[in-house]
Amino acid sequence: MLLINNDNNDTAGELEQRTPIERVLDIPELWSTILAYLHPKQLRRLRLVSRRLYLACTPHIHVSLILTSQKHVEVAWDQDFPSKLVSSLRIVSIDQFSPALTHLLNECTNITSLDINVFGLDVDFLQELLDYCPQHLKSLVIRSEGFVSLESIVETFLQSTTVGRQIQSLALDIGSTGLFETDALSWTIFRSLLDSCTSLTSLFLSAVKVMDIPESLEEINPLHATKAMFPNLVSLTMTLCDISSVGRIRLLKMFPNLHTLDMTCRDDVFQADSGESATNSVVALEMTTQDLCEQLTHVRVNSRSQSEQEGLFRFLGHLRHLERLELSGLATQGARLLDLAEEWSRNKVSLKQLTLSPKYRKLTEEGLEKVLLKPCFSRLLVLDAWCGPDLILRFWNRETQRSQLPFLDTLRALHLRKEDVVSDLDDGAMEALNMTLKQLPRLVDLTVGTKLEDFGVFQGMGRDPEVLLPDPRTVMYTGPEAVDWSDERPFLQTLVIGCSTEFFTHRMGDIPRQVGKRFRFLEDFKFT
């Protein structure tokens, strides 16, 4: 047991002589992180060790409370329960009020996040629960597997005007009952939701049919779409939602300051209105996307249809502040992506993250090579692609023994997810990968999906596992005799690798030495 008396008054000389670990223990934020792993009932016992330490840590301690049964709710009756420290509450399975739940909600007045996850959520229970929501509530998540219409859930939420005005993050994930009406949300109710949540900055919708039929005929044309009305909303996520291309344009036009967009919707969500002629569709789409979401920095789209690729790439091409792009289910040739990269380069766009998960192998290593050489990717921080070491080989210069990747000095995360077999790779691919990784000074996150046969790809990387670390009591950190850590790069923190059957069977015992000692800053290690 470690006993610390924080109430003693140390002199200035004694403070200077204290070890680094003793000085670190004076940081309340560090203590709060450690104490977060204790049971909530034990937190208040900290005051028995040191009242000064308890008072210093309390503002930084945030307790997350999960209620999965009425027995868990009864913790509120315990006089040692730190109700004032509870900032996050998750209610699972409980679908009725009890005196204990009422007492808990009355005592926990500092809750900022509420997650309601009830299989068959009842609107009366939801209404009563929202009435007890504290004044500090900022984040609300409502999940249910159905048995109640989505529109009734939203209408119940709208009746709690206090919650609506103060909420900043809202997530609705209501499962379908199989009836069309239960998971549909009319455009009128949807607009009422946005009008009521005046402080809303983040909106998450799952499995929602947004009924975007306009009230007036002139709004059918995308050129007359809804104007910007909700400047506070900066993040929009729509997962497995059903919305037309016209509805998507009308929706995005309402959020002029949107920074993050995540859409996994119906296949034609990025197409022009099917009711127009082909020529008029292109013109209308061009005019409506030029001033659409100009502030977007992060876009994640699951594009499953080849027919909507043109509209999607037109939309992406107009984004001047784009920094992170994630495209999954991609079914396009590298030439189309190359045109997009050239357009970004002309407009001085500088991407920091590129994630490509194609559904079909139309985007080859050769096509991706041409794309990555464009100036818009010169300062890339994260590259995540369904490719193997053959992609890295295409940038390797055998004469200079240097990689020609344009983002060598900036890349922090590299994910090569293609599950190749080593024998199927081009000659020299693994050697080129090994040499390239040594030339990435900032790399901390690595994924190699290839089914490796040994640890050869890591030879010469990190620190030599056969050489002992310097003694921390005598090592010099500054001055001419200081230890040079640069030869240990990359300082990997996360590593994911694939492995062959032989590797898994006969070489697992080498992991502590080849991985644990070689990459001593490693925090997470997994096999694909």
Side-chain angles (χ1 to χ4, degrees), residues 157-416:
F157 171 77
L158 293 177
Q159 294 176 13
S160 303
T161 55
T162 303
V163 176
R165 286 195 301 267
Q166 67 190 20
I167 206 73
Q168 296 179 2
S169 176
L170 176 63
L172 298 175
D173 187 357
I174 309 300
S176 174
T177 64
L179 300 176
F180 179 80
E181 297 81 3
T182 59
D183 51 1
L185 195 62
S186 68
W187 185 262
T188 302
I189 296 296
F190 185 62
R191 280 289 306 273
S192 298
L193 176 66
L194 296 173
D195 288 331
S196 301
C197 302
T198 55
S199 301
L200 194 66
T201 60
S202 176
L203 177 62
F204 172 90
L205 299 175
S206 178
V208 176
K209 290 184 175 70
V210 180
M211 307 304 293
D212 54 347
I213 300 176
E215 297 180 0
S216 54
L217 294 177
E218 62 270 13
E219 288 189 353
I220 295 179
N221 193 315
L223 297 177
H224 301 285
T226 305
K227 298 181 180 179
M229 302 181 66
F230 306 101
N232 293 332
L233 199 134
V234 297
S235 177
L236 174 64
T237 300
M238 301 184 72
T239 302
L240 301 177
C241 290
D242 191 348
I243 184 171
S244 68
S245 58
V246 176
R248 186 262 307 176
I249 294 174
R250 297 180 68 218
L251 181 66
L252 296 184
K253 269 190 170 293
M254 295 191 298
F255 311 131
N257 296 323
L258 201 64
H259 289 174
T260 301
L261 175 64
D262 185 346
M263 299 193 76
T264 304
C265 299
R266 57 193 289 179
D267 292 344
D268 60 351
V269 68
F270 283 97
Q271 289 181 354
D273 186 17
S274 58
E276 299 176 312
S277 65
T279 303
N280 291 336
S281 296
V282 174
V283 174
L285 186 61
E286 188 76 29
M287 297 181 66
T288 53
T289 55
Q290 284 182 351
D291 59 345
L292 195 65
C293 300
E294 294 179 340
Q295 304 302 319
L296 269 179
T297 60
H298 182 192
V299 175
R300 183 178 183 272
V301 175
N302 188 321
S303 177
R304 303 181 299 274
S305 172
Q306 178 70 37
S307 60
E308 73 163 351
Q309 296 295 314
E310 186 68 22
L312 171 61
F313 282 99
R314 283 180 180 272
F315 172 73
L316 295 175
H318 289 296
L319 303 180
R320 300 294 185 264
H321 299 90
L322 189 63
E323 295 181 353
R324 294 186 293 169
L325 175 64
E326 302 178 52
L327 297 178
S328 57
L330 198 64
T332 188
Q333 299 286 352
R336 189 64 191 91
L337 193 60
L338 180 61
D339 294 339
L340 187 60
E342 291 175 345
E343 184 174 2
W344 283 332
S345 300
R346 289 193 299 269
N347 294 321
K348 308 298 182 183
V349 175
S350 180
L351 270 75
K352 296 180 180 179
Q353 175 181 342
L354 177 64
T355 300
L356 298 174
S357 300
K359 183 177 181 181
Y360 307 106
R361 290 294 300 143
K362 291 188 176 182
L363 186 62
T364 62
E365 281 84 357
E366 180 181 3
L368 188 54
E369 174 195 8
K370 298 176 181 178
V371 171
L372 295 177
L373 287 174
K374 295 303 175 182
C376 61
F377 297 111
S378 61
R379 302 193 62 81
L380 206 61
L381 300 179
V382 179
L383 175 60
D384 190 330
W386 191 260
C387 296
D390 285 342
L391 174 65
I392 302 301
L393 178 62
R394 304 193 70 88
F395 294 93
W396 184 249
N397 189 316
R398 300 184 185 277
E399 295 182 358
T400 62
Q401 292 294 292
R402 295 286 300 175
S403 174
Q404 295 178 334
L405 275 172
F407 37 82
L408 275 177
D409 295 332
T410 60
L411 196 67
R412 294 182 58 84
L414 175 62
H415 302 286
L416 303 174

Side-chain angles (χ1 to χ4, degrees), residues 461-476:
M461 295 173 57
R463 64 178 303 273
D464 189 341
E466 306 299 337
V467 178
L468 296 177
L469 286 170
D471 190 337
R473 295 170 296 182
T474 59
V475 66
M476 301 295 295

Side-chain angles (χ1 to χ4, degrees), residues 78-134:
D78 193 321
Q79 61 179 0
D80 290 330
F81 179 71
S83 57
K84 302 302 180 184
L85 301 183
V86 177
S87 62
S88 176
L89 178 64
R90 187 180 184 208
I91 299 178
V92 182
S93 301
I94 300 174
D95 57 1
Q96 59 182 347
F97 263 79
S98 65
L101 181 58
T102 302
H103 177 71
L104 185 143
L105 293 174
N106 287 332
E107 292 295 319
C108 299
T109 57
N110 294 319
I111 295 177
T112 59
S113 176
L114 176 61
D115 188 330
I116 305 170
N117 191 349
V118 180
F119 181 81
L121 184 62
D122 181 75
V123 291
D124 293 332
F125 173 73
L126 176 62
Q127 181 65 63
E128 194 171 359
L129 192 60
L130 294 177
D131 290 341
Y132 276 96
C133 283

